[in-house]
Amino acid sequence: MTTHANRDVRAAVFRPDDERLAEAVELLDSLGADPVADPMLEVRPTGDAPADGEYVILTSKTGVELAADAGWEPGDATVCAIGESTADALRDAGYRVDLVPEEYSSSGLVEALDGEVEGVRVEVARSDHGSEVLTDGLRDAGAVVNETTLYELVRPATSGESAALAAEGGLDAALFTSSLTVAHFLDAAEERGVREEAIARLNDAVVGAIGEPTRETAEAEGIAVDVVPERADFEELACEAVEAAAPTYHE
């Protein structure tokens, strides 16, 4: 089977400027796309470690790495990961994983813990932009919730190339991996005075969102979302978006 890829697909990716961005660029290149790497998130660690709890929830690979760097020991706690990428990071760092929800989302995790956490101390360790769906849902389930901020997510000062390209109609696809990447993209466009143009021209391109919360954020700002993968996975997002932007043909 031969795949004919289309190098005309210019796709913007907004992941933090670390191995995640490098892997995203490599993946897009392997798909025959022309990657535009424009990091919209910069990680600023707080130095804190997860607090004690009968259940401890980690929601990202970054959070796991920072918890490990801070010397966190889970003890007898039930260790929960929001999805498989976080679970893999925990295992790679030498931690056990006791629970991964069927649906890799805050609501999926609440559903998985509902009925188990009434009156129980649950520690949620994550970024400063974590969804309230998780903490509010756990409290509604009767948990005693503590939240520790492991890192802050800010917009890099150099970000915004993709916003300018979008406003000029220079993007064929944009891959949003969180609600915050949407917000920061629009902030960068606003700084350049091209917010409305960027939104309008993105709506002529293929817009991918990694999950429903990201889609909802984008659409609330007037950005039509074309692709949401069944699983919240960047590789699936990239493959589906590139395919939608320039279908490949197999023979």
Side-chain angles (χ1 to χ4, degrees):
M1 180 183 292
T2 302
T3 300
H4 300 286
N6 191 330
R7 277 279 168 195
D8 293 335
V9 177
R10 182 179 282 179
V13 60
F14 310 115
R15 309 200 86 181
D17 191 8
D18 54 26
E19 74 278 358
R20 286 167 291 185
L21 185 64
E23 290 168 2
V25 167
E26 183 179 359
L27 173 61
L28 287 167
D29 187 64
S30 73
L31 294 171
D34 177 13
V36 176
D38 192 9
M40 287 290 168
L41 300 175
E42 180 181 315
V43 175
R44 292 186 181 172
T46 63
D48 291 336
D52 292 337
E54 292 178 60
Y55 287 75
V56 179
I57 296 172
L58 280 299
T59 64
S60 69
K61 177 182 177 183
T62 298
V64 171
E65 291 170 347
L66 292 174
D69 289 345
W72 172 60
E73 293 291 344
D76 294 329
T78 298
V79 179
C80 309
I82 201 167
E84 276 302 330
S85 61
T86 305
D88 288 343
L90 281 161
R91 296 183 188 106
D92 289 346
Y95 297 114
R96 71 180 187 281
V97 180
D98 300 306
L99 187 148
V100 183
E102 288 186 18
E103 178 189 327
Y104 301 163
S105 68
S106 293
S107 58
L109 195 47
V110 169
E111 183 178 348
L113 291 173
D114 192 23
E116 295 187 25
V117 294
E118 185 172 359
V120 171
R121 180 178 171 85
V122 178
E123 164 70 2
V124 178
R126 58 184 184 176
S127 81
D128 62 331
H129 283 85
S131 168
E132 292 181 358
V133 169
L134 177 56
T135 47
D136 288 351
L138 290 170
R139 290 189 180 101
D140 289 344
V144 179
V145 178
N146 183 74
E147 185 173 3
T148 298
T149 299
L150 300 179
Y151 58 102
E152 298 173 348
L153 289 169
V154 300
R155 181 166 64 88
T158 55
S159 65
E161 175 194 2
S162 59
L165 278 172
E168 297 166 0
L171 290 181
D172 302 294
L175 309 178
F176 292 106
T177 47
S178 67
S179 291
L180 198 54
T181 58
V182 176
H184 285 179
F185 173 89
L186 293 174
D187 287 346
E190 184 74 36
E191 276 187 2
R192 288 159 175 75
V194 296
R195 189 180 193 278
E196 297 308 317
E197 294 91 333
I199 291 173
R201 299 308 289 269
L202 271 189
N203 287 339
D204 294 329
V206 171
V207 174
I210 203 161
E212 285 302 316
T214 306
R215 179 189 65 79
E216 291 169 9
T217 299
E219 293 190 343
E221 298 290 353
I223 300 172
V225 174
D226 306 287
V227 170
V228 181
E230 186 173 326
R231 193 163 60 99
D233 176 80
F234 181 79
E235 183 171 349
E236 291 187 18
L237 173 66
C239 290
E240 290 182 27
V242 171
E243 176 73 12
T248 55
Y249 299 90
H250 305 284
E251 58 182 36

